[in-house]
Amino acid sequence: MDQTHINGYNPIPAPLKAVMRVLSMISTRLTLRILAFIFTRPIRYKTPAREMQLVEICEQSKLEVPKTGKVLQVYRLPNNGRKILFMHGWNGRGSQFYHLALELHDKGYDITTFDLPGHGKSSSNWTNIPDISFSVEALMESLGPFDCLISHSMGNIYALNAANTQRDIPAIITFCHPSMSMRPFFTGYIRMFDLSPEKYADRLMDYYEETLGHPVSDFDPASFVSDLEVRALIIHCEDDKIVGSGASYDLHDAIDDSKIVITRGLGHSRILSDDSVAREISDFMASLDTSS
């Protein structure tokens, strides 16, 4: 995993890194609190024009998450076929799946995508995995059940955890799976500040354990994916410069009923809008219909 892009973060500005290094020599506790603050604050990027072709035709609505009070921006393309829920990654948007969503809707599938808390047009400026889990739970109760989850990058962590807790999701499709455990996100994030992971990684994970009430490692896909009764299609590009393909192979090995597809020349983002990838997904979805 490229340590300069953990969770989709941009490289840290040099002045901020310099300040954090000085602060680290003065106060470990204060440095830790600032690291924790920034870690849960995603960056909102403007929606590109190419994604507006999906946004403009979707049914748009707001959904309040009962357990958090946060409000999700939801995009829907209703249809009569199987129901698909898309889950984007850190610093992303639901509309990033515009190509796949339109292709699958044209084939009769019912499409739902949304902006994670703290992302896109959803409320709040911060989020974390339990926060997102509550959001997915609310979506499933309101708009589900869903027949397939399609997720990208960090979104795979949320989707796999949703499949683990819901236990009635028959299929999952992952793009660019980043890791089988949570720890690399913490160590990579700390390295971005030129700080010592040995000094701060465990402290940061302990801080979140105190905040969340349980260990961060509870969300490690490695701890539960081998028990998932799902069909999985795992897609990764061999020249993804943000996330290496190792974790996707590990995921494929762990899920019995899975297929892995390795592409070339599509990187971390263009893989979502490739026609050949869309055909792979269409074939996978069609196989669900023939096997049911």
Side-chain angles (χ1 to χ4, degrees), residues 217-238:
S217 59
D218 285 355
F219 300 100
D220 288 354
S223 68
F224 61 79
V225 289
S226 61
D227 296 325
L228 293 182
E229 295 181 0
V230 297
R231 292 189 63 189
L233 176 62
I234 299 160
I235 306 171
H236 211 116
C237 184
E238 68 175 12

Side-chain angles (χ1 to χ4, degrees), residues 31-42:
T31 303
L32 180 64
R33 295 188 70 85
I34 294 174
L35 286 170
F37 178 86
I38 298 173
F39 191 69
T40 57
R41 266 65 181 177

Side-chain angles (χ1 to χ4, degrees), residues 77-83 105 108-110:
L77 289 175
N79 220 328
N80 296 321
R82 287 182 178 271
K83 300 180 73 171
H105 184 255
Y109 296 101
D110 183 281

Side-chain angles (χ1 to χ4, degrees), residues 249-268:
Y249 281 106
D250 291 341
L251 185 62
H252 173 51
D253 289 341
I255 298 178
D256 288 337
D257 193 356
S258 66
K259 175 185 178 181
I260 189 166
V261 174
I262 302 297
T263 68
R264 295 172 178 81
L266 298 176
H268 191 68

Side-chain angles (χ1 to χ4, degrees), residues 85 87-88 97 149-153 155-156 159 172-175:
L85 175 64
M87 300 179 67
H88 67 81
F97 296 101
L149 304 182
I150 301 181
S151 52
H152 177 239
S153 195
N156 298 325
I172 186 167
I173 300 171
T174 67
F175 283 94

Side-chain angles (χ1 to χ4, degrees), residues 4-286:
T4 63
H5 292 86
I6 297 299
N7 279 11
Y9 280 101
N10 284 344
I12 303 299
L16 178 56
K17 290 198 288 187
V19 169
M20 293 296 285
R21 286 196 300 271
V22 172
L23 185 61
S24 178
M25 292 184 286
I26 299 171
S27 173
T28 299
R29 179 179 175 81
L30 183 56
T31 303
L32 180 64
R33 295 188 70 85
I34 294 174
L35 286 170
F37 178 86
I38 298 173
F39 191 69
T40 57
R41 266 65 181 177
I43 301 170
R44 280 187 168 94
Y45 292 103
K46 183 178 179 180
T47 304
R50 63 181 177 274
E51 297 177 17
M52 292 305 296
Q53 60 184 301
L54 174 65
V55 173
E56 290 170 354
I57 67 170
C58 278
E59 295 180 0
Q60 298 188 38
S61 61
K62 302 287 187 180
L63 176 66
E64 183 172 352
V65 181
K67 292 183 179 179
T68 66
K70 295 184 180 181
V71 179
L72 304 178
Q73 176 69 38
V74 181
Y75 307 90
R76 294 225 4 25
L77 289 175
N79 220 328
N80 296 321
R82 287 182 178 271
K83 300 180 73 171
I84 299 172
L85 175 64
F86 288 91
M87 300 179 67
H88 67 81
W90 197 261
N91 293 343
R93 303 163 300 280
S95 56
Q96 283 180 289
F97 296 101
Y98 71 97
H99 182 78
L100 278 173
L102 294 172
E103 287 278 335
L104 291 170
H105 184 255
D106 283 346
K107 294 182 182 300
Y109 296 101
D110 183 281
I111 302 299
T112 301
T113 187
F114 70 108
D115 296 331
L116 295 175
H119 294 73
K121 295 182 179 178
S122 291
S123 70
S124 186
N125 292 316
W126 68 273
T127 192
N128 56 35
I129 288 185
D131 192 37
I132 292 167
S133 296
F134 293 141
S135 298
V136 176
E137 180 183 303
L139 274 166
M140 291 183 172
E141 289 179 358
S142 177
L143 301 173
F146 292 98
D147 299 294
C148 183
L149 304 182
I150 301 181
S151 52
H152 177 239
S153 195
M154 188 67 178
N156 298 325
I157 304 294
Y158 318 138
L160 289 166
N161 273 277
N164 184 45
T165 56
Q166 300 297 320
R167 290 290 177 176
D168 58 354
I169 297 167
I172 186 167
I173 300 171
T174 67
F175 283 94
C176 315
H177 184 55
S179 180
M180 294 295 281
S181 68
M182 297 302 299
R183 187 178 178 80
F185 296 105
F186 289 84
T187 58
Y189 170 68
I190 291 164
R191 285 194 182 99
M192 290 170 58
F193 289 89
D194 293 338
L195 297 175
S196 167
E198 290 75 19
K199 181 176 181 179
Y200 285 105
D202 287 336
R203 285 186 170 97
L204 191 56
M205 293 180 74
D206 289 345
Y207 175 86
Y208 278 106
E209 179 175 348
E210 293 174 8
T211 303
L212 304 176
H214 48 80
V216 175
S217 59
D218 285 355
F219 300 100
D220 288 354
S223 68
F224 61 79
V225 289
S226 61
D227 296 325
L228 293 182
E229 295 181 0
V230 297
R231 292 189 63 189
L233 176 62
I234 299 160
I235 306 171
H236 211 116
C237 184
E238 68 175 12
D239 56 0
D240 187 331
K241 295 180 181 178
I242 294 178
V243 175
S245 59
S248 284
Y249 281 106
D250 291 341
L251 185 62
H252 173 51
D253 289 341
I255 298 178
D256 288 337
D257 193 356
S258 66
K259 175 185 178 181
I260 189 166
V261 174
I262 302 297
T263 68
R264 295 172 178 81
L266 298 176
H268 191 68
S269 298
R270 286 187 296 116
I271 196 169
L272 296 178
S273 56
D274 180 72
D275 288 335
S276 63
V277 170
R279 286 193 293 272
E280 284 279 0
I281 290 175
S282 294
D283 290 346
F284 177 80
M285 293 302 301

